[in-house]
Amino acid sequence: MSEKYKPAYPRMAQLKTADDLRNYLTKNDIDLPFDDTLLSPTESLFNRPISLNSGKTIGNSLCILPMEGWDGTLDGRPTDFTRNRWKKFAISGAKLLFGCEAVAVCHSGKANPNQLVMNDETFPDFVELRQLLLDEHTAAFGQTDDLVIGLQLTHSGRFCKPKSHKAFESKILYSHPFLNSKFGMEADYPTLTDDEIDRIIEQYVEAAVLAQKAGYDFVDIKHCHGYLGHEFLSAVSREGRYGGSFENRTRYLRNIVAGIREVAPGLGIGIRLSAFDMLPFKKGPAAVGVPETADQYPFAFGGNDNGLAPDLTETKAFLSLAQSLGIQLVCITGGSPYYNPHLMRPALFPPSDGYLPPEDPLLGVKRQIDVTNELKQAFPELVFIGSGYSYLQEWLPNVAQSVLRNGMADSVGFGRMVLSYPTMPADMLAGKSLVRNLICRTFSDCTTAPRNGLISGCYPLDTLYKKSPEAEQLKAIKESL
């Protein structure tokens, strides 16, 4: 699609000067925080450390966000592709690695057959991965005492595909009026029982114990992007101990945290949270995304009654609970890549199973920044990491500096950007000019590839992938669309 599609909005690379961007924002009424001039390294807010309640210090205000891997072995172990990706995290210069990668707590909870799994058999691999981070970071920057490393623990719930890149083996909490049919489930598709949920909680705790033994500073109890933790928050129609009331819908988190505190005392806990959600979107006229039609939509956690805008009332209640549980690290995102990807991953070029942007992607960037800011002001003692910055491309540092300068977040996160430009955070910290030919242009190949059973990586810019056999397969797939 990227080769045939003429974007409806200008490419960021066309906005070559600060005046170009500022004029565009003004003309289109997009109130995005932006600093024309970047501070020197000695004054830079990117170099500002963050003190945690645990006594640890994060050495700067840049973060690598956890991404889903598609390149492990079928038994959940890393491959050379995985290690290559983790090396990029290590040499990035960011001092907070928020989860590194989505790691399933059991094989049946994997989002794809090649996702990593944490269990007794794979435990040594995670010890080695962490040591790889330490060795590479030390070689690049000389010290790791201010490097904080997390491991994201996940169960993919509705989006489980443990044996096939195409066939879902969904584990759902309730029948969803749009998602059941969208992903091939009948209305009477079986839901997880409370006893089955109890066992998944035990698997989270078991994985957390192993993460602590492997040396990770914290685990991220994933509550985002439509996966199981996130689906609990919208399970308003579910009966039993894990659905209906807010208390029941957060029992999953509370029980996981209680289990970890009991058997892994001292292990930090963070949460990556879809702080807002909306109706599922689909291709409309001219393949542009449009929302499903519903007069009332109660399944958007952090969304209003019709599912068309954020409402952070329950989000704030959730964060109040998290804070009471001793959780300090919170990474904010929104929506799901499966049913409304423009909310969490603004881009001009959609993946193969997506839709053309229904809004200027800069509005998607602004929405995430605004939501994170509102939550930061409500919970000043929590450490908030922002997401959704990659679309800004050349102007990412200018927006990120303004966000930090105005106290709108504590740390700025990098996801797909580090696949193409792993040292962009280090360059920002050093006050260097960005390397333009390494900047992610949001072509979405890193999503289109795994959606079609290929390894995920930056095919346009990373030579490892660009010259791989998979690149030719991806090209053929895109030409057939």
Side-chain angles (χ1 to χ4, degrees), residues 3-17:
E3 296 176 358
K4 305 173 185 177
Y5 160 54
K6 183 178 180 180
Y9 306 100
R11 301 187 187 210
M12 292 301 294
Q14 294 175 277
L15 304 174
K16 296 185 181 299
T17 68

Side-chain angles (χ1 to χ4, degrees), residues 84-92 418-420 422 462 465:
N84 179 71
R85 192 155 26 81
W86 282 53
K87 179 179 177 180
K88 291 182 178 184
F89 305 159
I91 66 172
S92 68
V418 296
L419 298 179
S420 65
D462 188 332
Y465 299 90

Side-chain angles (χ1 to χ4, degrees), residues 53-353:
N53 294 338
S54 65
K56 290 191 71 70
T57 296
I58 302 168
N60 58 42
S61 296
L62 300 179
C63 171
I64 303 303
L65 305 173
M67 288 171 277
E68 186 173 303
W70 299 72
D71 49 25
T73 64
L74 295 180
D75 59 351
R77 300 176 188 274
T79 64
D80 286 344
F81 282 108
T82 314
R83 286 182 278 271
N84 179 71
R85 192 155 26 81
W86 282 53
K87 179 179 177 180
K88 291 182 178 184
F89 305 159
I91 66 172
S92 68
K95 290 290 187 176
L96 176 59
L97 307 184
F98 200 100
C100 292
E101 183 154 343
V103 176
V105 299
C106 58
H107 281 283
S108 60
K110 293 194 293 185
N112 70 81
N114 300 98
Q115 188 169 32
L116 301 187
V117 178
M118 173 62 97
N119 56 33
D120 288 331
E121 289 71 33
T122 62
F123 169 76
D125 297 282
F126 287 94
V127 175
E128 292 175 3
L129 282 174
R130 176 178 172 273
Q131 191 60 49
L132 171 70
L133 295 174
L134 296 176
D135 292 345
E136 294 290 344
H137 192 84
T138 299
F141 306 106
Q143 66 181 79
T144 59
D145 58 336
D146 58 352
L147 177 67
V148 176
I149 304 172
L151 196 67
Q152 184 180 76
L153 301 181
T154 185
H155 186 293
S156 295
R158 186 175 292 273
F159 303 109
C160 289
K161 290 184 289 186
K163 299 173 186 174
S164 164
H165 288 282
K166 296 293 184 181
F168 286 97
E169 297 182 36
S170 301
K171 309 293 184 184
I172 67 173
L173 299 175
Y174 62 91
S175 179
H176 192 285
F178 301 116
L179 299 184
N180 271 45
S181 58
K182 180 178 178 68
F183 297 106
M185 289 164 269
E186 301 295 333
D188 60 352
Y189 187 89
T191 58
L192 286 168
T193 67
D194 284 2
D195 287 345
E196 289 172 325
I197 293 169
D198 289 340
R199 176 55 190 144
I200 292 172
I201 290 171
E202 291 174 356
Q203 290 168 328
Y204 266 89
V205 175
E206 292 164 1
V209 169
L210 293 173
Q212 184 182 47
K213 289 181 179 178
Y216 292 84
D217 297 302
F218 70 96
V219 290
D220 166 18
I221 308 302
K222 188 175 185 177
H223 275 69
C224 63
H225 299 166
Y227 295 113
L228 189 63
H230 188 204
E231 184 156 292
F232 271 104
L233 300 180
S234 64
V236 294
S237 61
R238 180 186 172 89
E239 298 180 353
R241 291 183 289 119
Y242 291 102
S245 68
F246 179 80
E247 180 182 5
N248 285 353
R249 287 182 280 124
T250 56
R251 192 181 306 278
Y252 172 79
L253 172 66
R254 287 185 281 114
N255 287 358
I256 290 175
V257 172
I260 293 173
R261 299 289 191 222
E262 180 179 354
V263 298
L267 177 64
I269 300 175
I271 296 176
R272 190 161 200 223
L273 174 67
S274 278
F276 63 94
D277 201 1
M278 294 186 190
L279 275 161
F281 273 59
K282 61 185 178 182
K283 287 184 180 180
V288 173
V290 296
E292 297 281 3
T293 302
D295 293 331
Q296 294 290 312
Y297 184 69
F299 305 112
F301 175 78
N304 64 8
D305 290 342
N306 63 15
L308 294 176
D311 178 346
L312 301 180
T313 303
E314 280 208 332
T315 307
K316 292 176 180 178
F318 180 84
L319 291 175
S320 180
L321 170 64
Q323 189 170 38
S324 75
L325 295 173
I327 294 169
Q328 188 181 18
L329 286 169
V330 182
C331 180
I332 297 299
T333 180
S336 167
Y338 292 96
Y339 55 80
N340 47 27
H342 72 282
L343 297 182
M344 50 82 65
R345 193 183 293 146
L348 279 183
F349 302 89
S352 59
D353 59 346

